[in-house]
Amino acid sequence: MTDSLASSGLALSVLLFVILAVLEAVFPRKKRTMPRGRRWRTNGIIILVDTLALRLMGPIAAIAAASFAEQADFGLFNRIDFPLWLEFTLALILLDLAIYAQHVLTHRIPVLWALHKVHHADRDIDVTTAVRFHPVEIILSMLYKSVLVLLLGPTPFAVFVFALLLNLFAMFNHANLRLPPSFDRFLRLFVVTPDMHRVHHSTVVKETDSNFGFSIALWDRLFGTYTAQPAAGHDDMIIGLAEYQSDHPAETWWSLALPFRGSRGSQSVPEATQKPD
């Protein structure tokens, strides 16, 4: 079952990736800062390294944890007799809330930020940015999800659906895709849109420290971390980290070594320095 679910999820993810990549080329939201080929090569290599790291952990660790919890009658949902539809819905909502909390912590705890800034260092944001994470962060994230799954005890299918939705929404909201403004305003009432998440990749500190959600748009409004639009506007905002506005973020080895360079702990610099020349 695990292998078939993984294959189905991979096929859907690849399909959406291709669709979004085509739509980005036809309806771009923001002009690129760097050549696409060099960035995509680096981001692609990082994806391969991440995939290998997860393989070393075992096949689809969170789903395996759900299977173990189900067989061992372990976790909240295995102890309480909820209707299946309610358990499924609660599992998706609680896991998404947990990912929001995890994302906030990666910006608050220095050692986690050192890893997470590999994601933020990308000087353009598009569908490949969605999967540009340091392999150590990927491993820690999977361990975090697996512990959550053990404590909650959702069904393996619910965990699969959540992981798939998280991946699909991450690609969607990182896409350099222009949506009609009225449609974006409506859509972001429910889910995180590309314009909403792009604010999170601004070099302005108060914008970087906002819009942490990946799927459900409610959490940022509920916990006071929502920023509607970047101060400079989407066309003029600067993407990435202010201290790394160079060609380095498009280099593979530089990006993988970034957490160990001992640079400044702050994720951005004061707003006064953010205006482009």
Side-chain angles (χ1 to χ4, degrees), residues 33-47:
T33 301
M34 306 189 71
R36 189 201 317 248
R38 188 178 181 190
R39 283 186 54 254
W40 277 35
R41 182 173 62 252
T42 290
N43 290 356
I45 292 172
I46 292 175
I47 294 169

Side-chain angles (χ1 to χ4, degrees), residues 1-260:
M1 179 181 178
T2 299
D3 290 340
S4 61
L5 288 178
S7 299
S8 300
L10 178 61
L12 285 172
S13 297
V14 171
L15 177 61
L16 183 63
F17 181 94
V18 172
I19 291 173
L20 288 173
V22 172
L23 289 175
E24 284 182 338
V26 179
F27 305 108
R29 180 64 176 87
K30 185 173 173 59
K31 185 177 179 180
R32 294 181 181 276
T33 301
M34 306 189 71
R36 189 201 317 248
R38 188 178 181 190
R39 283 186 54 254
W40 277 35
R41 182 173 62 252
T42 290
N43 290 356
I45 292 172
I46 292 175
I47 294 169
L48 292 177
V49 174
D50 291 345
T51 302
L52 176 61
L54 290 176
R55 287 289 182 181
L56 294 175
M57 294 182 67
I60 318 301
I63 296 179
S67 297
F68 171 81
E70 187 175 58
Q71 294 168 10
D73 199 28
F74 188 84
L76 177 65
F77 293 140
N78 289 315
R79 295 287 182 172
I80 301 177
D81 190 20
F82 285 131
L84 187 59
W85 68 267
L86 179 59
E87 177 184 325
F88 181 82
T89 303
L90 286 174
L92 295 184
I93 293 173
L94 291 175
L95 288 171
D96 195 78
L97 175 59
I99 294 302
Y100 167 86
Q102 176 193 4
H103 196 180
V104 172
L105 290 176
T106 62
H107 283 245
R108 300 288 188 262
I109 300 175
V111 67
L112 296 181
W113 170 248
L115 296 167
H116 189 59
K117 64 184 179 181
V118 172
H119 177 67
H120 277 270
D122 204 351
R123 291 185 58 202
D124 288 312
I125 179 172
D126 61 23
V127 65
T128 68
T129 310
V131 281
R132 176 194 161 103
F133 290 94
H134 196 276
V136 176
E137 181 176 11
I138 287 292
I139 291 173
L140 292 176
S141 179
M142 182 56 75
L143 291 173
Y144 172 75
K145 293 185 186 79
S146 297
V147 170
L148 287 173
V149 167
L150 288 173
L151 293 175
L152 286 175
T155 65
F157 182 70
V159 176
F160 164 73
V161 171
F162 169 74
L164 178 61
L165 288 175
L166 186 66
N167 190 38
L168 298 181
F169 271 111
M171 287 192 288
F172 169 67
N173 59 47
H174 282 86
N176 183 29
L177 179 62
R178 182 180 297 275
L179 298 178
S182 58
F183 182 58
D184 175 85
R185 286 193 297 272
F186 170 76
L187 197 60
R188 71 166 63 191
L189 294 174
F190 309 99
V191 299
V192 179
T193 66
D195 272 16
M196 180 176 169
H197 190 72
R198 189 177 301 106
V199 176
H200 181 71
H201 284 261
S202 166
T203 54
V204 179
V205 63
K206 69 179 182 180
E207 294 174 357
T208 309
D209 287 340
S210 67
N211 298 6
F212 291 101
F214 272 106
S215 304
I216 299 175
L218 170 66
W219 308 129
D220 284 299
R221 291 182 175 87
L222 185 63
F223 296 107
T225 55
Y226 176 65
T227 298
Q229 300 294 337
H234 286 279
D235 291 335
D236 294 327
M237 70 180 289
I238 303 174
I239 299 294
L241 297 174
E243 60 267 40
Y244 301 126
Q245 291 296 305
S246 67
D247 290 342
H248 288 315
E251 299 170 2
T252 303
W253 295 116
W254 185 94
S255 297
L256 291 174
L258 179 58
F260 315 107

